[in-house]
Amino acid sequence: MPVKRRTKLKTRMILTLGLVSALQTAFIGVFAGYYLSESLYSEIGQRALMVAKTVAASPAIIQGIQQKDVESLNTLTHTMAVTNEALFIVIGDHKAIRLAHPSPDRIGHSMADDDGDFGRRALEEGEGYVARAVGNLGESMRGKAPVFEPDSGEIIGIVSVGYSVGQVEATVQRYNFVLYGVLGVVLLVSILAAVVIAGRFKRAIFGLEPEEIAGLFQERDATLQSIREGIIAINRHGIITTVNRAALTTLELSPDTPIAGRPILEILPESDLMSVLTTGTPDFDREVWLRNRQMVVNRLPMRQGNEIIGVVASFRLRNELDQVSQQLTHIQQYADTLRSQTHEYSNKLHTIAGLIQLGAYNDALKLIGNEVISHQALIHLLLEAVPDPIIAGCLLGKHNRAREMGLHLDIDPGSQMADLPDNLPRDQLVSVLGNLIDNALEATRRHTGANGRVHLSMTDLGQELIFEVEDQGPGVAPEVQNRIFEKGVTSKAGNEHGFGLHLVRQFLDSWGGSVTVENLGEAGGSRFTLYLPKEPTGRSQPCPPSDC
């Protein structure tokens, strides 16, 4: 009858590790995709509300509502919608009757016929809010804000600003494409790591399967129990590690007596095994008295290299000497087998322990990194200089981002960032460092183009953490340099910039740090230097990211 073959250990390890990696990757992908989608919807909604409030505060809009100047309001809202990239901007009076709408036939009708919302929260409670609805222009995220009469504070109208949900979904799909691509690469790397780890583990146990190892240990135990001599083995600390049934019978000990794990001198106070452990000198055919019985004992030290790691003793009653002499050859073979197996298993256990202490993960990373030597060097640098996985992960991500942009992010090989205080919020530090690096990459790409370089150096010496980010951009204009950290101040085009460095300043003020900016001279570029004390000295503890 054919024997059913079990799946090999290496295959099982690869399948198990691969399945775990796949499940983790799938979970992260689903969670990240959901979180990204919700965050974008929330962000678009808040943007719509902010634009609605801005439009509602416009003097021209207020005057148009007061005078019911439909033509002027439609002209203004069209211009504002284009400027803010909104799907629509709708103006209603205090009864929610439209005064401005992209579709002229909708003017003069109630805003409620679009999404069933009469705008009561805005018109009656004076509160701005965000809503999601489907109207004649399609599904959109809407921000609605009341319009107040400047002098009396009376609510005279309502502004509704909408952004297409289709725009959000397109953005989500674009980000998901990148996200799932990265997760796919991570999964592939995890599978390769599983293959490498499984291979190294299999080599560490000399290519044996778990069933084979179990069989060898069973064979060893059977060998011990089949020997008619008593066998006792101790480790370097004098603790009994092995004892067979013949030893219990010879010493007249109950088979139920727990022997293994107890000191030899507790069981046999007259034993000389400890002296053999100290001197390393073996005893052969020595006649001794143990437990008031005359025995012939052999004691052999076990060595690992030049170190004595234990002693094995075999013994029989003296009156069985003749029988022992007749079977001496066979017993010697058993003893040799026992010693070789004990030594072999000791080597296996120490080899496994050594590999675990050395860490197979580094070897796996080196093998994976053979394809991209520079990437391997970066990972090695991060492991040495930045033990914190969150900071190291941020830097690795920015390095990959720079490569996607056709740029180089150089990390000073002399950098050191190991002494990070435990109470320093990693999420905010990552946000601050990421903002500085992102700004440097953007400036370098706009000014230098492909193959431009951004340089980062870090040090944790003394009582401060210091980060220096140098770019090859055009530098910071003198008139902006003193205001670059103010909210909304930026050297970039567009209305969506000027917030990153403001968040940097907020965090530094709360922690008690500082940042300087300087131009690098005629060669162009600028240097941002971040100083962060290891203990907070600011006005208050750092605020949560959602509040900063």
Side-chain angles (χ1 to χ4, degrees):
M1 181 177 178
V3 179
K4 183 178 179 180
R5 293 183 60 86
R6 293 177 177 269
T7 306
K8 291 186 176 181
L9 174 63
K10 182 176 180 180
T11 303
R12 279 181 277 171
M13 289 184 66
I14 292 173
L15 291 175
T16 300
L17 293 175
L19 179 60
V20 170
S21 299
L23 291 176
Q24 290 178 336
T25 302
F27 175 77
I28 292 173
V30 171
F31 175 78
Y34 173 78
Y35 182 78
L36 174 64
S37 176
E38 293 300 313
S39 297
L40 283 175
Y41 280 121
S42 176
E43 181 181 345
I44 292 297
Q46 292 303 315
R47 180 180 177 184
L49 179 58
M50 182 178 65
V51 173
K53 290 181 177 180
T54 302
V55 173
S58 171
I61 295 296
I62 295 173
Q63 182 179 359
I65 294 175
Q66 290 174 329
Q67 299 177 358
K68 296 191 180 298
D69 189 347
V70 173
E71 182 178 355
S72 175
L73 287 174
N74 276 277
T75 301
L76 286 171
T77 54
H78 174 74
T79 302
M80 291 179 176
V82 172
T83 302
N84 290 279
E85 300 179 353
L87 178 65
F88 62 80
I89 295 179
V90 175
I91 306 293
D93 61 12
H94 67 287
K95 294 182 179 179
I97 301 301
R98 296 189 189 93
L99 300 176
H101 192 278
S103 301
D105 58 335
R106 294 275 175 165
I107 297 173
H109 297 280
S110 173
M111 296 173 68
D113 63 12
D114 189 26
D115 56 9
D117 183 7
F118 289 91
R120 289 191 178 91
R121 289 177 60 182
L123 292 173
E124 296 179 6
E125 301 175 17
E127 178 184 351
Y129 62 96
V130 176
R132 180 173 177 174
V134 178
N136 70 309
L137 296 179
E139 188 176 8
S140 61
M141 294 296 296
R142 306 179 177 192
K144 298 190 178 185
V147 180
F148 296 95
E149 205 280 327
D151 296 327
S152 64
E154 179 185 356
I155 299 174
I156 62 173
I158 184 174
V159 175
S160 177
V161 177
Y163 283 88
S164 172
V165 170
Q167 293 175 317
V168 182
E169 292 176 347
T171 303
V172 170
Q173 291 177 357
R174 185 169 65 253
Y175 282 128
N176 281 343
F177 178 79
V178 177
L179 173 65
Y180 293 141
V182 172
L183 291 177
V185 173
V186 171
L187 178 59
L188 178 61
V189 171
S190 299
I191 294 175
L192 292 176
V195 173
V196 174
I197 292 172
R200 290 190 60 82
F201 184 79
K202 192 68 184 292
R203 289 194 297 272
I205 58 176
F206 303 99
L208 298 174
E209 296 293 319
E211 296 79 10
E212 294 174 322
I213 295 175
L216 288 174
F217 276 103
Q218 291 174 348
E219 178 184 342
R220 174 178 178 267
D221 184 66
T223 302
L224 283 172
Q225 303 304 334
S226 66
I227 297 174
R228 294 185 63 183
E229 282 194 348
I231 301 293
I232 290 181
I234 64 173
N235 62 18
R236 68 185 71 192
H237 304 294
I239 304 299
I240 298 174
T241 58
T242 302
V243 61
N244 66 351
R245 285 191 297 268
L248 298 176
T249 301
T250 303
L251 296 173
E252 295 183 330
L253 295 172
S254 170
D256 298 328
T257 303
I259 300 297
R262 297 173 63 181
I264 183 64
L265 295 180
E266 181 182 323
I267 304 300
L268 298 172
E270 63 270 39
S271 173
D272 288 334
L273 286 181
M274 294 302 296
S275 63
V276 177
L277 187 65
T278 302
T279 63
T281 303
D283 283 338
F284 296 104
D285 298 329
R286 182 177 177 183
E287 295 185 14
V288 299
W289 286 87
L290 290 174
R291 299 179 69 87
N292 299 319
R293 306 181 77 182
Q294 189 178 16
M295 300 183 186
V296 177
V297 178
N298 293 284
R299 303 185 183 98
L300 294 175
M302 294 184 294
R303 299 179 182 273
Q304 186 174 17
N306 295 323
E307 183 181 2
I308 299 175
I309 62 172
V311 178
V312 175
S314 63
F315 49 90
R316 295 194 71 170
L317 294 174
R318 178 70 178 82
N319 58 11
E320 297 179 0
L321 183 58
D322 292 340
Q323 186 178 0
V324 171
S325 298
Q326 294 174 2
Q327 300 178 358
L328 180 60
T329 302
H330 299 293
I331 294 175
Q332 185 65 41
Q333 291 174 353
Y334 286 138
D336 290 340
T337 301
L338 175 62
R339 288 193 294 273
S340 64
Q341 287 183 348
T342 301
H343 187 68
E344 177 184 357
Y345 287 121
S346 297
N347 283 338
K348 290 180 181 179
L349 292 175
H350 283 282
T351 299
I352 293 173
L355 286 172
I356 293 174
Q357 291 174 358
L358 292 175
Y361 300 107
N362 291 335
D363 294 329
L365 291 175
K366 290 179 182 178
L367 291 175
I368 295 170
N370 285 336
E371 185 179 354
V372 185
I373 298 178
S374 61
H375 199 63
Q376 178 187 11
L378 172 65
I379 294 176
H380 179 74
L381 171 62
L382 292 178
L383 289 175
E384 291 292 332
V386 190
D388 188 277
I390 297 177
I391 307 301
C394 170
L395 296 180
L396 185 59
K398 296 303 179 185
H399 181 270
N400 294 333
R401 171 62 176 157
R403 291 180 58 187
E404 293 174 2
M405 298 170 67
L407 306 175
H408 301 277
L409 175 58
D410 300 325
I411 300 178
D412 193 331
S415 293
Q416 183 66 31
M417 193 52 60
D419 190 19
L420 287 171
D422 294 336
N423 60 338
L424 179 63
R426 300 300 194 267
D427 54 346
Q428 295 192 45
L429 179 57
V430 165
S431 177
V432 168
L433 190 57
N435 272 318
L436 293 179
I437 295 176
D438 285 341
N439 286 347
L441 292 173
E442 287 292 338
T444 301
R445 181 174 66 172
R446 285 187 285 111
H447 184 70
T448 304
N451 294 319
R453 313 191 81 88
V454 172
H455 183 80
L456 169 67
S457 65
M458 303 172 288
T459 179
D460 59 1
L461 300 178
Q463 299 303 313
E464 287 187 317
L465 308 176
I466 302 175
F467 300 85
E468 289 188 356
V469 180
E470 296 182 4
D471 61 52
Q472 292 181 341
V476 181
E479 62 272 15
V480 179
Q481 199 164 2
N482 293 331
R483 301 174 50 245
I484 192 67
F485 296 99
E486 295 180 10
K487 187 175 183 179
V489 176
T490 179
S491 58
K492 304 173 186 177
N495 298 321
E496 300 180 7
H497 305 289
F499 299 97
L501 292 180
H502 175 67
L503 295 178
V504 171
R505 170 61 70 189
Q506 279 192 317
F507 171 69
L508 293 177
D509 287 345
S510 63
W511 189 265
S514 62
V515 61
T516 63
V517 56
E518 57 183 320
N519 290 326
L520 299 180
E522 296 180 359
S526 58
R527 178 191 297 117
F528 284 77
T529 306
L530 183 69
Y531 301 91
L532 207 59
K534 294 183 179 179
E535 293 298 329
T537 60
R539 294 187 298 272
S540 62
Q541 291 296 317
C543 56
S546 59
D547 298 335
C548 286

